[in-house]
Amino acid sequence: MFSFSSSKLVDRPFDWAYQLEDLGYSGWEIVNEGRQRLTRENLPEARKIVETTGLVITIHLPYSDLNLASVNQPIWEETVRQMKTCLDLASDFARLAVVHPGHFSPLGMHMPDAAWLQNIKGIQEICDHASNLNMRVAVENMVNMPAILGRRPEEIEGIIETVDRDNLGFIFDVGHANTNGNVEDFLRLKDMMIHIHAHDNHGERDEHLPVGNGTVPWKKVVASLNGYSGRIVTESRSLEEGQRSVKRLKKLLDDTRK
């Protein structure tokens, strides 16, 4: 049920992944950034982890310097190409990929309708490619930064409905929602949720604190998860903080079942 993910460990090799099961995890979300990014050169390392552990693997598609909403066509094409390449590399051992919506560039802010359509078309292409690989795609709600798409529930609903692909769902990033003050509003999209990112903050910036160290209303979040069957991914700054999050979430889930 619980997976580990960390964008802070992108400068380290994969060896720490072997510790995850001992820390209470049954899965690992590979963040395709830095040295953690899948390449043809390090793919044997990732496959070895898959073959020698019981970890369920999901992937987070790359996002640095990429933009699915770019109205600069070569940049948009390169964004889609890199994401498709990651899907190809992971398709032997992963069945779900997380994707960030695009954002408004300076030009895109003057052409918001065109940027929105680029974002939709990009996610459609990614979903179609993933479908051919028997994979699902989960679009993530985003942190409180004005230029980024997907900060509000109605935006996520609009993306999913307009993309109109059976293999597209919603990944609820609880910490991101807290920076926008709309955690409880996003809970109404429960039927669309196929994945969850769990981390905490104080409502102002994306701190990625352990669960319970910020202002996220975790009791309400956990109480709303009755019937949810996807994975809960702790996005953590370290293995130790991830383990702390798992322990607290397990206690909350146990208390809810009593």
Side-chain angles (χ1 to χ4, degrees):
M1 183 176 187
F2 290 101
S3 289
F4 177 83
S5 177
S6 180
S7 60
K8 299 291 184 182
L9 299 180
V10 293
D11 61 343
R12 292 176 54 186
F14 293 163
D15 57 352
W16 49 264
Y18 290 101
Q19 303 175 49
L20 294 179
E21 288 177 299
D22 291 337
L23 297 177
Y25 288 101
S26 61
W28 172 33
E29 186 161 288
I30 301 174
V31 182
N32 279 270
E33 295 279 311
R35 290 181 65 189
Q36 200 179 143
R37 184 168 181 165
L38 292 174
T39 64
R40 299 200 183 280
E41 289 71 31
N42 67 19
L43 194 58
E45 292 182 70
R47 281 207 179 102
K48 185 177 179 182
I49 293 169
V50 173
E51 293 166 359
T52 58
T53 72
L55 294 172
V56 174
I57 307 297
T58 57
I59 65 168
H60 197 308
L61 295 177
Y63 48 83
S64 290
D65 302 320
L66 302 176
N67 184 11
L68 283 172
S70 179
V71 290
N72 183 332
Q73 190 65 18
I75 297 299
W76 181 87
E77 290 174 0
E78 178 61 16
T79 298
V80 172
R81 186 196 70 79
Q82 288 195 27
M83 292 185 177
K84 286 182 177 179
T85 297
C86 284
L87 291 172
D88 289 335
L89 290 171
S91 61
D92 284 347
F93 49 77
R95 302 271 64 84
L96 184 143
V98 175
V99 66
H100 284 181
H103 58 273
F104 291 123
S105 64
L107 178 60
M109 295 185 82
H110 293 288
M111 306 170 62
D113 291 343
W116 172 263
L117 290 175
Q118 287 286 87
N119 184 62
I120 296 300
K121 182 180 177 184
I123 297 175
Q124 285 176 331
E125 290 213 11
I126 291 163
C127 286
D128 290 344
H129 195 76
S131 180
N132 291 334
L133 299 169
N134 192 30
M135 296 177 71
R136 292 187 297 170
V137 177
V139 63
E140 182 174 347
N141 62 295
M142 296 307 296
V143 69
N144 184 19
M145 295 177 67
I148 298 180
L149 295 171
R151 293 179 291 123
R152 301 187 304 274
E154 55 268 27
E155 285 183 278
I156 292 295
E157 281 186 295
I159 289 171
I160 291 174
E161 291 171 3
T162 310
V163 169
D164 191 26
R165 295 296 189 269
D166 290 339
N167 65 329
L168 179 64
F170 167 45
I171 167 170
F172 179 33
D173 190 299
V174 185
H176 287 175
N178 199 52
T179 68
N180 290 292
N182 54 16
V183 170
E184 294 182 52
D185 294 332
F186 266 110
L187 292 175
R188 68 181 176 81
L189 302 187
K190 178 185 168 184
D191 290 344
M192 292 182 174
M193 288 181 200
I194 60 174
H195 212 51
I196 290 174
H197 278 169
H199 53 99
D200 217 328
N201 58 64
H202 292 92
E204 296 179 358
R205 59 189 180 87
D206 200 20
E207 298 172 87
H208 281 258
L209 300 175
V211 167
N213 279 31
T215 60
V216 169
W218 288 107
K219 288 185 179 180
K220 290 182 179 179
V221 172
V222 171
S224 74
L225 296 182
N226 183 37
Y228 171 74
S229 59
R231 303 195 70 78
I232 298 176
V233 184
T234 65
E235 286 196 311
S236 308
R237 299 176 298 186
S238 68
L239 295 173
E240 294 75 18
E241 290 191 359
Q243 186 180 31
R244 206 178 312 163
S245 288
V246 168
K247 287 181 178 178
R248 289 172 178 172
L249 286 168
K250 284 182 176 180
K251 185 178 186 306
L252 285 166
L253 286 164
D254 289 341
D255 290 346
T256 300
R257 296 185 185 113
K258 290 178 182 177

